[in-house]
Amino acid sequence: PSTKIHFIENNAQTVAPSLSATFTEKLRQHITSLSSLTQVNNDKADYDISGAITNYNVTVASITGTETSARNRLTIGVNIVFENRSDEKKNFTKTFSRFADFNANQNFQTVETALIEEIADQLKDDIFNQAFVNW
């Protein structure tokens, strides 16, 4: 069996330069390493995965008693379209969202790469489980 995992574009209002490439590569590696699927770049794949990053947002996660931010939260959301060419009942379009918190006194740019890696790992697991856990 084969899968085509398209490049996951970043369509969020805030664009992190490395996010699309990092997330797409993690998803491809995860699916091919945990399954017998081969990654192909044609339209003959048994499974087709496409989508876009729709949310990339930093918000306040918690505040201190003095109303200053204690923890901030990076949230990443990705809308995935999964097509199972042998069983259309297993097709889905779904938004997956995960977050990671960090100390408000940390410079976001210094922790951003690590947060992206952490959240991308969670998202790839969620997508894999939704698409292939019923095998």
Side-chain angles (χ1 to χ4, degrees), residues 47-84:
Y47 306 97
D48 190 89
I49 299 172
S50 61
I53 295 159
T54 55
N55 184 25
Y56 185 86
N57 200 9
V58 177
T59 56
V60 174
S62 65
I63 57 173
T64 65
T66 58
E67 294 187 16
T68 57
S69 175
R71 308 262 314 147
N72 288 336
R73 173 170 292 170
L74 172 63
T75 303
I76 299 175
V78 60
N79 187 53
I80 294 294
V81 178
F82 175 77
E83 187 179 343
N84 180 330

Side-chain angles (χ1 to χ4, degrees), residues 8-63:
I8 308 297
E9 297 285 339
N10 190 344
N11 294 338
Q13 285 187 326
T14 303
V15 174
S18 66
L19 180 57
S20 286
T22 298
F23 180 71
T24 301
E25 190 54 35
K26 278 185 174 287
L27 185 60
R28 285 177 179 159
Q29 286 179 350
H30 190 65
I31 289 173
T32 56
S33 70
L34 290 182
S35 68
S36 59
L37 296 172
T38 306
Q39 167 71 21
V40 296
N41 290 317
N42 60 48
D43 293 331
K44 306 267 189 248
D46 299 294
Y47 306 97
D48 190 89
I49 299 172
S50 61
I53 295 159
T54 55
N55 184 25
Y56 185 86
N57 200 9
V58 177
T59 56
V60 174
S62 65
I63 57 173

